[in-house]
Amino acid sequence: MSEAPIHIFGVRHHGPGSARSLRQALEALKPDCILVEGPPDAEGVLPLAAHADIKPPVALLIYHPEKPRRAAYYPFAVFSPEWQAIQFGLKENVPVRFMDLPQSVQMGIAAEAEDKAAAEEPEEEDAETAYESTAAPEPELHISHDPLSHLARAAGYSDSERWWEHLVEHRRDGRDVFAAVLEAMTALREAAIRSSLQQLEPEREALREAHMRQTIRAAQKEGFNRIAVVCGAWHAPALATMPAAKDDAALLKGLPKSKVAATWIPWTYSRLAFASGYGAGIASPGWYDFLWSMSGRRNGHVATHWLTKVARLLRGEDLDASSASIIEAVRLSESLASLRGRPLPGLPELNEATTTVLCFGDELPMRLIAQKLIVSERLGEVPDDIPMVPLAQDLAREQKRLRFPPEATQKQVDLDLRKPNDLDRSRLLHRLNLLAIPWGKQAKQRGAQKGTFHELWSVQWQPEFAVALIEAGVWGSNIPSAASAKVCHDADAAQDLPSLTALVDATLLADLPEAAEHLMTRLQAVAAVASDVGHLMLALPPLANILRYGNVRQTDAEMVAGVVSGLVARVCIGLPGACGSLNGEAAEEMFGRILATHGAIGLLQNAEHTALWNNVLRQLAELPNLHGLIAGRACRLLHETQQLNTAEAARRFGLALSTANPPMQSAAWVDGFLRDSGLLLLHDENLWRVLDDWVSGLATEHFTTALPLLRRTFSTFQSAERRQMATRVAGGAKRGPAVLASEDFDVARADKALPLLAELLGLKIEVKS
Amino acid sequence: MSNQLRQHAEQQFADELKALAKADTKTRPPNWKLSPWAVATYLLGGKLDDGTEITAKYIGDRRLIEIAIATLATDRALLLLGVPGTAKTWVAEHLCAAISGDSTELVQGTAGTSEESLRYGWNYAELLAKGPSAKALVPSPMMRAMKEGKLARVEELTRIPADVQDTLITILSEKTLPIPELGEEVQAVKGFNVIATANNRDRGVNELSSALRRRFNTVVLPLPESLDEEVQIVQQRVEQLGRALELPAEPPALEEIRRVVTVFRELRSGATADGKTKLKSPSATLSTAEAIGVMNQGLSLAAHFGDGTLRAADVASGLVGAVIKDPVQDRVVWQEYLETVVKERDGWKDFYRACKKAD
């Protein structure tokens, strides 16, 4: 071979052991050119990787500048071999190149396929659904669809992660590892075990490898002598044996291309993990980060340091974790490792030791450990002078489309949701709020006169929103999908109903159907285990509002209806229990909730719900020892919905006010029954009589104790109502509307008396002619 | 064959233990009859190179058994936690049989367990006649295990009064048992360790002090993992018991067992079987053993008061009684479950009506 020899390093993406071995190998080799499996489109921003302000985890984002939803992410952690190779190259001034098939081509192919599909099936896709259907081409799927599993299974391991970790990642002196990996992979490929990815997309894989080989040839032609090639282990054999150059050239000829742009964005460890649904993830980035940080220490120290970290975390959460327990946990992890024939405790052994010794067999603290340590919540950083992220571009485009430019001065906007443009503006503002970019703040409506189709906003653009946009870039490349992802994340983090309900409100206003669906599932799950009926009751009114006004918002009310039925059923079952033994303050709170729930049930206009609710109210009205406020209101609501006729209501009023009850209880009952309803009292003769009899029959000291509570009820009535009542009371026992008595009224005779009266009172009076 | 009603594990499985000891070439901790690997094989089952079939004593997570064995190898005491009927005692007995070849050093924890049963007692005739002497001393199982380097078992640790429990602290941390009357002490021989079992669902037990808890490694034994596994256990047991009680009723239909087990599992796990809906869990244990009890009661109702065929109504009353242990909270849970899950489920109409009636 005339060309310069190449040195192939087959690595596992995001493997700290691979990264360490690679770093050592590169330092020994001193290459004059490094080729890394990555998108050549990003070579322009590659030097930024050496920027002082860039802190992994970060991701290379390759996107279509006009359609940013078509995007690919290449995440790097500090322990990714690719990252280490890039850092090495930039530090030593060795040219670093990406050699994967350019994303411009991959996207071009995808776009072509899409166009073809669209041509075959001419179906109009509206903008809302499009972003869901076009999955961004994920460049590194082959970790989860793992060819290594064949080898792992042959070696008697349950999964390839552990096998690789044991054999490769745990090694500390791994320069000859790469030769072994190459050999193993060659054997695998020769055995014609096709990786599942190849089965999925054989053409794409062939193209990618052809392009990698072409890049290598180009580098050889340029006269580099020691070329280091860093690629996924699976590709290593394909690059080691070079077929004829013209075959590859023919393969790559005439491929469609699309426009792309590249930038760095901050990434998080939780998005590197499988759990977040990212295809090419690793299960335990936090653990790998830890392993990487332990490089250069003795192997035996890993367990000690890790378990100490765990114990400190537990202590921070007020769980007991003494140093003695750490010692025992280390010992247990080591004896477990030896029982399983491993040289060192790995993550499973350490986790088991933690559960058994530090958590006393309890699985719950383990979830905390998994979240905070094993996955870890670390967020990367990118320098400020990085090219604009697609999210910001998407926002700029939206602002232009909606003729809604960002301005630094505060402005009031009244949006009429019946107009499509205003509706879209409202959605945009709501979505930005969900992404923690408070461009607009919704003002409280003054009165309900304007109707539900008006929204008042005060909008003001702040410069720091630019930074917030970059931060929000981890959630997605356009505003709707980013907002959806953020809501889903928040929903998973939210533990109690009120915060979820608030999210539901915001999400439906922001018109994010995908996120709303997720939220409803979460809401259902949280509501099912929520033991606080009060929270359930608070969750109901906003959902009822959504159901009632669903048409204005054009959101699908179906799924809300399911959740609402569940809520109503649960509230109805739990309410009687929740109303027992309340003090005044708690009863006051419950009173408000019952009113709100009653309103919500009224809004829903569902016969089944109404029947359930009336049933509960009846139960409440009859429950002994219930706080008077609630019993009174239950009775009143039943009377209002004609579940109780007036005579029955009067009977209950009398019963509640009978002298056998403690006066405070009676007074609270009156308060519950009559609050905000002086008119009922004025116009219902039966009720009036009952109340009157009760007051007149009270002993003096009872009257004194009840007076403050009575006063509180009566002070809520409008002054006109109070005056009328007073008039009636002053009328004494011979009751009966005074109006009736004035029917035979002689106007002529009365007129005669008027001048004299005017004289006496010093008034001037105009006598009608 | 022996006449005993029940044999010890080391007697019943003597052949398997012998075969394992022969095949076992791995290093054994001091005074262990088998290596940790062989102990794991004994409990989890497998086939030896010489063709001997080792039956599985524990069907479930291999990991848990490995943790338990590794714990005993580190000289830390082992605490097996779990709801009733999760094979805690069974596992403890077999661990002792495999490791020490003797599962008889047993202290049964009750509210009346005294310090003597954990330390030592006296032969009072001897004591009064000759004063305190080694001869007058009556050793406890714990003391014997310490002297001989064996495993001792403490059943139902949390039922023992707290002050008596704390006797274990010295034994577990210092590995000695002082005898102040004689001015002597017993120092544990290598191989000594303690396996305790405790129930983590019972109310009114004596919680371990944190000083004692710290000296145990805790392994929680779970309930059967899959529905089918549990249905099978219940069916086998119900049929056996039905025969023993000579109930004239037909053996219950698999369908009815499946329904009861489903209800138990769903309420226990706090989610429906399809994983779509979350539920509240009642305070009752709802172990497999209780499902067996419910089926048995239903069977006897059907036999003596019904037409001999087990129907939903026969099961319902027992089921409601098993679920509602706390008359206020559990009732809410049960009603929610009935209204949101059972009512909607296809083919469960009769069951729903029967439960509503029984409630």
Side-chain angles (χ1 to χ4, degrees):
Chain A
M1 249 188 7
S2 60
E3 286 100 348
I6 54 169
H7 302 268
I8 294 177
F9 300 103
V11 297
R12 194 174 68 136
H13 304 290
H14 312 308
S18 286
R20 194 165 37 232
S21 307
L22 179 68
R23 191 81 195 214
Q24 284 169 358
L26 287 178
E27 267 153 23
L29 177 68
K30 297 198 192 326
D32 54 5
C33 177
I34 301 175
L35 302 178
V36 178
E37 182 187 332
D41 326 70
E43 256 160 35
V45 293
L46 196 54
L48 282 169
H51 199 290
D53 288 342
I54 197 161
K55 296 208 176 75
V58 290
L60 263 181
L61 170 62
I62 317 286
Y63 60 98
H64 194 289
E66 272 117 52
K67 295 175 208 149
R69 62 167 182 264
R70 199 166 282 160
Y73 299 97
Y74 288 78
F76 296 97
V78 66
F79 49 80
S80 307
E82 290 91 339
W83 179 257
Q84 287 303 327
I86 294 169
Q87 292 296 333
F88 176 85
L90 293 174
K91 202 179 95 202
E92 305 282 326
N93 275 326
V94 176
V96 179
R97 289 185 192 165
F98 284 138
M99 60 174 181
D100 203 348
L101 187 64
Q103 274 298 328
S104 57
V105 176
Q106 299 204 22
M107 285 184 193
I109 296 172
E112 208 178 57
E114 215 171 86
D115 290 347
K116 212 191 267 170
E120 280 164 11
E121 211 176 314
E123 195 178 275
E124 271 195 38
E125 257 188 319
D126 60 313
E128 295 301 323
T129 56
Y131 70 86
E132 294 163 34
S133 60
T134 51
E138 290 287 357
E140 292 167 300
L141 275 172
H142 48 297
I143 297 178
S144 51
H145 307 280
D146 202 347
L148 298 175
S149 58
H150 297 286
L151 288 179
R153 237 175 286 142
Y157 281 76
S158 54
D159 71 292
S160 54
E161 287 266 338
R162 289 183 62 178
W163 174 74
W164 182 273
E165 190 167 310
H166 186 185
L167 274 188
V168 181
E169 304 293 346
H170 277 180
R171 292 178 81 101
R172 305 245 147 189
D173 54 337
R175 246 169 293 158
D176 49 347
V177 156
F178 295 107
V181 166
L182 180 59
E183 202 172 309
M185 288 300 141
T186 313
L188 252 187
R189 284 179 80 124
E190 271 169 13
I193 304 164
R194 299 160 65 86
S195 98
S196 52
L197 190 75
Q198 276 209 322
Q199 281 160 1
L200 283 177
E201 298 179 81
E203 287 168 25
R204 203 177 80 126
E205 284 298 276
L207 284 177
R208 290 181 61 194
E209 283 171 2
H211 192 271
M212 291 186 208
R213 284 191 293 264
Q214 287 295 67
T215 315
I216 295 171
R217 287 190 190 102
Q220 282 169 333
K221 249 184 220 140
E222 277 176 55
F224 291 114
N225 286 322
R226 292 183 307 281
I227 302 172
V229 175
V230 180
C231 61
W234 178 249
H235 299 297
L239 307 184
T241 50
M242 293 284 208
K246 67 173 197 291
D247 292 352
D248 285 341
L251 204 57
L252 292 170
K253 214 171 136 190
L255 286 174
K257 269 197 168 184
S258 90
K259 224 165 37 171
V260 292
T263 188
W264 290 99
I265 54 166
W267 207 248
T268 61
Y269 274 168
S270 54
R271 298 205 80 192
L272 268 180
F274 275 131
S276 66
Y278 166 60
I282 44 173
S284 45
W287 162 248
Y288 283 166
D289 187 81
F290 168 77
L291 278 183
W292 176 255
S293 72
M294 291 299 290
S295 314
R297 301 227 195 195
R298 270 192 32 233
N299 273 353
H301 288 172
V302 170
T304 319
H305 278 262
W306 176 259
L307 289 168
T308 310
K309 268 177 85 158
V310 168
R312 298 188 77 89
L313 173 71
L314 291 175
R315 266 178 237 160
E317 299 289 327
D318 276 344
L319 296 165
D320 283 346
S322 64
S323 312
S325 304
I326 303 175
I327 297 169
E328 293 304 335
V330 172
R331 289 181 61 210
L332 178 60
S333 70
E334 277 166 2
S335 71
L336 265 174
S338 73
L339 178 62
R340 289 169 187 169
R342 310 250 149 82
L344 278 175
L347 190 55
E349 284 80 28
L350 290 172
N351 280 345
E352 282 156 16
T354 308
T355 321
T356 313
V357 181
L358 291 170
C359 310
F360 303 118
D362 192 356
E363 285 288 336
L364 217 60
M366 281 312 291
R367 274 189 235 164
L368 178 81
I369 294 166
Q371 189 194 345
K372 298 258 169 161
L373 289 182
I374 298 174
V375 172
S376 139
E377 289 161 339
R378 180 173 297 192
L379 174 71
E381 285 172 33
V382 296
D384 294 337
D385 48 353
I386 217 90
M388 189 146 88
V389 290
L391 194 64
Q393 290 186 359
D394 189 53
L395 178 62
R397 233 184 340 268
E398 279 291 292
Q399 284 165 338
K400 205 167 155 199
R401 180 173 76 84
L402 301 171
R403 299 184 304 284
F404 199 21
E407 282 161 8
T409 50
Q410 194 169 0
K411 221 171 91 180
Q412 299 292 334
V413 193
D414 182 357
L415 298 177
D416 183 346
L417 302 184
R418 290 167 301 183
K419 296 181 190 154
N421 195 46
D422 277 5
L423 182 60
D424 280 357
R425 284 177 178 184
S426 153
R427 282 174 181 162
L428 181 64
L429 289 174
H430 278 298
R431 283 169 188 171
L432 286 176
N433 272 335
L434 282 172
L435 284 170
I437 303 169
W439 179 23
K441 290 195 182 69
Q442 199 174 358
K444 279 253 189 284
Q445 297 249 18
R446 269 164 285 128
Q449 305 97 316
K450 290 215 154 178
T452 50
F453 43 78
H454 271 281
E455 274 182 1
L456 279 176
W457 290 87
S458 89
V459 290
Q460 183 177 24
W461 186 261
Q462 313 269 8
E464 57 263 29
F465 290 168
V467 184
L469 271 169
I470 293 179
E471 274 168 18
V474 296
W475 301 112
S477 53
N478 62 354
I479 305 252
S481 66
S484 285
K486 179 82 174 12
V487 167
C488 292
H489 178 265
D490 287 354
D492 290 338
Q495 291 307 325
D496 54 348
L497 266 181
S499 48
L500 269 179
T501 323
L503 258 183
V504 168
D505 237 1
T507 307
L508 286 165
L509 289 170
D511 189 36
L512 300 167
E514 197 186 352
E517 200 170 323
H518 182 86
L519 259 179
M520 287 302 152
T521 327
R522 270 294 291 162
L523 196 64
Q524 187 94 326
V526 174
V529 288
S531 46
D532 191 338
V533 178
H535 283 171
L536 289 171
M537 292 170 85
L538 286 180
L540 193 56
L543 290 178
N545 266 329
I546 291 156
L547 266 189
R548 179 79 170 78
Y549 303 119
N551 289 339
V552 177
R553 276 282 166 201
Q554 296 166 2
T555 36
D556 184 11
E558 274 300 299
M559 60 188 174
V560 186
V563 177
V564 164
S565 310
L567 276 179
V568 172
R570 290 198 174 88
V571 166
C572 289
I573 290 167
L575 190 57
C579 289
S581 24
L582 297 176
N583 65 10
E585 211 177 310
E588 202 65 49
E589 243 172 67
M590 187 52 83
F591 180 82
R593 289 190 197 131
I594 288 180
L595 274 188
T597 309
H598 185 74
I601 302 261
L603 263 186
L604 289 172
Q605 298 184 336
N606 178 319
E608 201 176 314
H609 294 166
T610 315
L612 263 177
W613 178 246
N614 285 335
N615 205 11
V616 170
L617 285 179
R618 201 176 282 274
Q619 254 176 289
L620 283 183
E622 273 156 23
L623 215 60
N625 302 327
L626 192 66
H627 195 278
L629 194 62
I630 291 166
R633 181 47 59 138
C635 191
R636 161 73 194 288
L637 291 176
L638 285 170
H639 180 253
E640 219 167 59
T641 50
Q642 275 128 41
Q643 297 293 311
L644 292 181
N645 58 28
T646 307
E648 173 63 13
R651 187 186 70 78
R652 282 169 190 261
F653 205 112
L655 196 66
L657 301 191
S658 23
T659 38
N661 293 333
M664 293 304 283
Q665 165 82 2
S666 303
W669 203 93
V670 176
D671 191 15
F673 193 88
L674 290 180
R675 193 180 284 185
D676 304 326
S677 47
L679 276 177
L680 181 80
L681 198 56
L682 274 174
H683 293 290
D684 195 325
E685 186 60 25
N686 288 338
L687 281 183
W688 176 265
R689 191 186 298 275
V690 172
L691 182 64
D692 191 32
D693 287 352
W694 176 68
V695 173
S696 344
L698 276 181
T700 319
E701 65 269 25
H702 279 179
F703 182 72
T704 329
T705 44
L707 200 56
L709 267 169
L710 278 176
R711 209 189 108 71
R712 199 167 61 186
T713 309
F714 278 79
S715 68
T716 58
F717 299 160
Q718 286 174 16
S719 54
E721 291 167 359
R722 279 208 303 266
R723 204 168 40 243
Q724 271 180 284
M725 285 180 203
T727 320
R728 284 186 67 174
V729 173
K734 22 180 204 17
R735 226 171 281 106
V739 199
L740 291 177
S742 65
E743 253 174 20
D744 46 6
F745 189 75
D746 190 337
V747 181
R749 280 185 70 188
D751 275 350
K752 282 185 185 161
L754 281 179
L756 182 62
L757 270 174
E759 191 82 55
L760 287 172
L761 295 170
L763 294 170
K764 272 186 187 171
I765 194 163
E766 280 175 44
V767 183
K768 275 180 237 165
S769 52
Chain B
M1 280 315 281
S2 82
N3 255 334
Q4 292 123 358
L5 186 56
R6 185 184 182 279
Q7 288 183 307
H8 292 305
E10 61 271 21
Q11 297 166 334
Q12 196 181 349
F13 296 102
D15 296 342
E16 291 186 5
L17 287 170
K18 206 188 279 170
L20 269 169
K22 216 169 89 190
D24 186 13
T25 53
K26 303 192 169 35
T27 46
R28 302 172 191 185
N31 262 331
W32 281 36
K33 299 269 188 258
L34 295 172
S35 73
W37 165 83
V39 176
T41 314
Y42 172 73
L43 269 122
L44 297 159
K47 198 166 182 176
L48 296 182
D49 289 341
D50 64 2
T52 318
E53 193 75 48
I54 305 291
T55 52
K57 316 295 179 300
Y58 179 77
I59 302 167
D61 196 350
R62 176 178 193 96
R63 216 170 48 88
L64 293 176
I65 297 299
E66 284 180 351
I67 297 173
I69 297 168
T71 295
L72 293 172
T74 61
D75 78 24
R76 284 263 288 180
L78 174 68
L79 175 63
L80 296 172
L81 270 182
V83 297
T86 42
K88 298 184 295 292
T89 305
W90 181 252
V91 167
E93 184 186 350
H94 282 283
L95 279 174
C96 289
I99 294 173
S100 302
D102 181 2
S103 62
T104 58
E105 306 296 5
L106 165 72
V107 179
Q108 177 66 48
T110 66
T113 303
S114 63
E115 239 174 82
E116 283 91 77
S117 12
L118 286 174
R119 301 175 69 193
Y120 48 85
W122 296 100
N123 177 341
Y124 282 97
E126 187 82 23
L127 183 69
L128 290 175
K130 297 183 185 157
S133 69
K135 223 179 145 197
L137 194 90
V138 181
S140 69
M142 191 65 69
M143 195 177 199
R144 277 201 301 273
M146 287 175 84
K147 279 184 179 159
E148 293 165 25
K150 287 182 177 173
L151 292 183
R153 284 195 284 152
V154 181
E155 288 292 323
E156 299 290 357
L157 179 61
T158 47
R159 301 216 146 274
I160 302 178
D163 50 337
V164 181
Q165 278 178 12
D166 287 349
T167 315
L168 281 172
I169 295 181
T170 332
I171 299 176
L172 292 182
S173 55
E174 310 285 322
K175 316 279 181 202
T176 60
L177 184 55
I179 311 170
E181 292 90 337
L182 302 181
E184 286 176 16
E185 60 173 14
V186 176
Q187 280 187 296
V189 175
K190 279 184 181 173
F192 164 74
N193 211 334
V194 174
I195 305 177
T197 66
N199 187 330
N200 61 356
R201 270 306 274 276
D202 254 358
R203 299 278 160 79
V205 292
N206 307 299
E207 247 342 286
L208 299 190
S209 65
S210 50
L212 185 55
R213 171 154 265 215
R214 215 172 58 62
R215 288 173 168 82
F216 280 104
N217 280 1
T218 316
V219 172
V220 179
L221 294 180
L223 285 152
E225 203 162 316
S226 76
L227 177 71
D228 289 332
E229 203 177 295
E230 201 170 348
V231 166
Q232 198 190 342
I233 296 173
V234 174
Q235 191 182 23
Q236 266 178 14
R237 206 62 201 124
V238 165
E239 274 173 16
Q240 283 168 6
L241 285 169
R243 265 203 300 281
L245 298 171
E246 295 170 17
L247 290 174
E250 294 276 314
L254 194 62
E255 200 40 48
E256 214 56 60
I257 294 182
R258 186 172 282 274
R259 283 211 282 219
V260 170
V261 172
T262 306
V263 170
F264 268 52
R265 290 181 69 87
E266 289 186 334
L267 285 173
R268 200 160 67 202
S269 62
T272 51
D274 57 10
K276 281 184 184 155
T277 317
K278 271 204 174 184
L279 303 165
K280 294 197 188 90
S281 288
S283 58
T285 316
L286 300 177
S287 73
T288 317
E290 278 177 89
I292 296 168
V294 168
M295 289 313 298
N296 255 326
Q297 189 193 342
L299 212 57
S300 107
L301 269 177
H304 297 301
F305 302 103
D307 59 1
T309 311
L310 188 71
R311 300 193 194 287
D314 301 319
V315 181
S317 61
L319 186 61
V320 173
V323 174
I324 302 182
K325 294 284 191 248
D326 175 325
V328 181
Q329 283 170 12
D330 288 349
R331 186 169 297 277
V332 171
V333 171
W334 175 242
Q335 280 174 348
E336 261 194 44
Y337 179 70
L338 273 187
E339 295 300 328
T340 55
V341 178
V342 177
K343 193 179 171 187
E344 316 274 292
R345 200 165 270 169
D346 286 339
W348 282 45
K349 278 270 180 303
D350 56 329
F351 192 73
Y352 172 72
R353 275 197 295 275
C355 288
K356 277 297 255 192
K357 225 166 150 189
D359 196 7

